Amino acid sequence: MKVLRSLEVWKMGSINYLNALKLQEKLVSDRKTHKIPDTLLSLQHPPTYTLGKRRTDHNLLIPEPDLQKIGAELHYTQRGGDITFHGPHQAILYPIISLRDVGLGARNYVEKLELTMIELASLYGVRARAGQTGETGVWVGERKIGAIGVRISYGITSHGLAFNIDPDLNYFKHIVPCGIANKEVTSLRKETDSVLPAEEVIHEQLISCFARVLGYSNLIWKENGSILSDSVEN
């Protein structure tokens, strides 16, 4: 008999990066102690650059004092991966799940995140692929369309993936995206011949792809105006 696996999905809209970080930390703690089920945060950030735990500051090509002039923030994180950009018109998923419960190792989990974005791109006739040796994320030819950076603590995941729907690609000119020089960044808008639906539809399609790839058959949807403030304050 097939086990019915549930995933709680929090649709959060646009949220400040630090607030999302605090929320993830609390949810990871709650997931470790079985207070909550596997949970998926679906959101966007205001313009934000983030660095992983390797602290590759040299891949930030703009002086930190100038970030304010372009309306962006910089944050240091404990995730894997190199520098990346988050901003409007990007679909971000932060899974807070138990890898032990889903029967995955770290490498397999990253492959599932890649496949999630590859499946979404295919819905719009875009042939994406996983990164080759030395590349991270998901690519269309030699152009990067999706980034991955994860943290795993005692088998519980945080951080996750960012898929470019139609962000301002000029922000990527100020970094070496994911530490890979001489590569372009692209978006679904640039790569598809299809007319894109409302972004909320694409976010929900990305969630559905994630659930299918990871084997969740029961999605519990939550609209999250109040959940964030409650969770961060508690």
Side-chain angles (χ1 to χ4, degrees), residues 8-231:
E8 201 166 276
V9 181
W10 294 17
K11 295 170 63 180
M12 309 207 66
S14 183
I15 170 175
N16 172 278
Y17 187 81
L18 281 182
N19 286 342
L21 197 59
K22 290 176 187 174
L23 178 59
Q24 287 182 80
E25 289 169 354
K26 182 180 189 307
L27 293 176
V28 165
S29 176
D30 287 348
R31 187 66 189 90
K32 286 177 183 175
T33 55
H34 307 287
K35 290 181 181 176
I36 61 169
D38 283 352
T39 300
L40 182 67
L41 307 184
S42 171
L43 50 88
Q44 295 189 42
H45 291 306
T48 307
Y49 295 105
T50 67
L51 278 156
K53 56 189 176 185
R54 286 189 286 155
R55 298 290 186 266
T56 49
D57 301 66
H58 58 276
N59 287 325
L60 177 66
L61 306 179
I62 181 174
E64 282 194 45
D66 291 348
L67 288 173
Q68 192 171 0
K69 296 176 185 175
I70 63 170
E73 298 179 353
L74 174 67
H75 294 292
Y76 294 84
T77 76
Q78 291 300 309
R79 63 163 173 78
D82 209 296
I83 193 167
T84 194
F85 170 76
H86 295 310
H89 312 298
Q90 196 180 56
I92 296 172
L93 296 184
Y94 291 148
I96 314 296
I97 68 174
S98 168
L99 291 185
R100 193 172 294 109
D101 286 0
V102 298
L104 291 175
R107 180 63 239 171
N108 295 128
Y109 172 61
V110 170
E111 289 170 352
K112 298 286 189 185
L113 295 183
E114 292 169 342
L115 185 55
T116 295
M117 292 190 280
I118 290 168
E119 284 204 0
L120 177 66
S122 73
L123 297 178
Y124 295 92
V126 176
R127 181 176 290 183
R129 62 169 177 84
Q132 297 168 348
T133 304
E135 298 174 340
T136 58
V138 168
W139 301 72
V140 180
E142 295 300 307
R143 302 171 300 281
K144 188 165 190 172
I145 196 169
I148 293 173
V150 303
R151 186 178 188 205
I152 301 170
S153 175
Y154 297 97
I156 307 299
T157 67
S158 58
H159 298 276
L161 64 83
F163 183 86
N164 295 335
I165 300 173
D166 189 23
D168 182 349
L169 298 179
N170 285 315
Y171 280 104
F172 289 95
K173 294 177 181 177
H174 300 300
I175 62 173
V176 181
C178 298
I180 303 170
N182 304 315
K183 299 282 190 178
E184 290 183 39
V185 176
T186 191
S187 66
L188 187 61
R189 171 80 66 190
K190 282 187 70 173
E191 297 295 337
T192 185
D193 295 324
S194 303
V195 176
L196 296 183
E199 284 193 5
E200 183 177 353
V201 172
I202 300 175
H203 280 258
E204 291 184 359
Q205 289 172 331
L206 184 63
I207 292 165
S208 296
C209 288
F210 175 86
R212 185 166 55 252
V213 168
L214 271 291
Y216 293 101
S217 47
N218 181 38
L219 299 189
I220 304 159
W221 297 84
K222 295 206 170 187
E223 304 286 342
N224 286 298
S226 60
I227 289 179
L228 172 64
S229 56
D230 292 344
S231 297

